[in-house]
Amino acid sequence: HEQARAQETARAIATLEKATQDKPNAGQAWVELGHAYFDTGQAKQAIDAYNKALALLPGDLNVMTDLGVMYHQDGQHQKAIDLFDQVLQNNPKHEQARFNKGVVLLTGLNDRKAALAEWKILVQYHPMAAAPSGKMVADLIDQLEKEPAKP
């Protein structure tokens, strides 16, 4: 079953790669290819696809957010923060960008205070905001505030 899913994913990616070769100016094809790489943990390929998508669809806040997540996965934490900041300048209420900025601050840059600040702004805008795990952001804030700071 696992192998069948992997083959299916590989076929889907191959189809999307072909679509971007056939229509290199189709921004949405690059977005979908980026998502396929994102979902399969191929950060460098996703970064490339999302950057091509943004060249064709400048200012797409969701693509910028996904690109930021991939920069984080690739260890380029500051680039991720810069992108999230651009998104939040355009839309301070952008839930995914705000949440992920907190994640990068916490896990990428070890800046707990700044991460808490981002998540507190997030729950002001979106009281029911939740992490992908389903855990409420408000609970994450409580948990972080109770944990002793790491030296």
Side-chain angles (χ1 to χ4, degrees):
H1 195 72
E2 195 83 3
Q3 196 175 2
R5 194 179 299 128
Q7 287 173 332
E8 200 178 299
T9 303
R11 272 198 300 274
I13 287 176
T15 303
L16 290 166
E17 285 173 341
K18 187 175 181 335
T20 59
Q21 285 163 2
D22 293 346
K23 294 186 178 153
N25 294 328
Q28 200 50 45
W30 287 108
V31 172
E32 286 170 29
L33 180 59
H35 290 343
Y37 287 139
F38 183 118
D39 293 340
T40 53
Q42 300 180 69
K44 286 191 184 334
Q45 292 89 331
I47 287 168
D48 189 45
Y50 284 145
N51 274 313
K52 289 192 169 103
L54 284 170
L56 299 162
L57 307 166
D60 185 311
L61 301 184
N62 295 327
V63 174
M64 290 166 73
T65 300
D66 289 338
L67 176 57
V69 172
M70 290 295 95
Y71 276 133
H72 172 54
Q73 266 191 17
D74 195 47
Q76 300 184 60
H77 307 304
Q78 195 52 55
K79 261 189 162 159
I81 296 287
D82 294 345
L83 266 169
F84 298 141
D85 283 344
Q86 285 176 40
V87 171
L88 294 168
Q89 271 177 340
N90 282 290
N91 175 7
K93 295 181 181 176
H94 196 287
E95 192 170 343
Q96 287 311 109
R98 183 81 61 191
F99 176 76
N100 284 302
K101 183 177 176 189
V103 169
V104 176
L105 286 164
L106 184 66
T107 64
L109 300 175
N110 297 314
D111 188 343
R112 197 163 132 170
K113 249 195 185 124
L116 275 168
E118 288 301 326
W119 286 348
K120 284 178 178 176
I121 295 168
L122 173 60
V123 294
Q124 282 175 355
Y125 289 130
H126 305 280
M128 302 307 290
S133 66
K135 191 165 189 156
M136 300 297 289
V137 174
D139 293 339
L140 290 173
I141 292 169
D142 286 346
Q143 193 182 329
L144 263 183
E145 286 184 324
K146 285 180 184 133
E147 276 176 21
K150 291 180 184 112

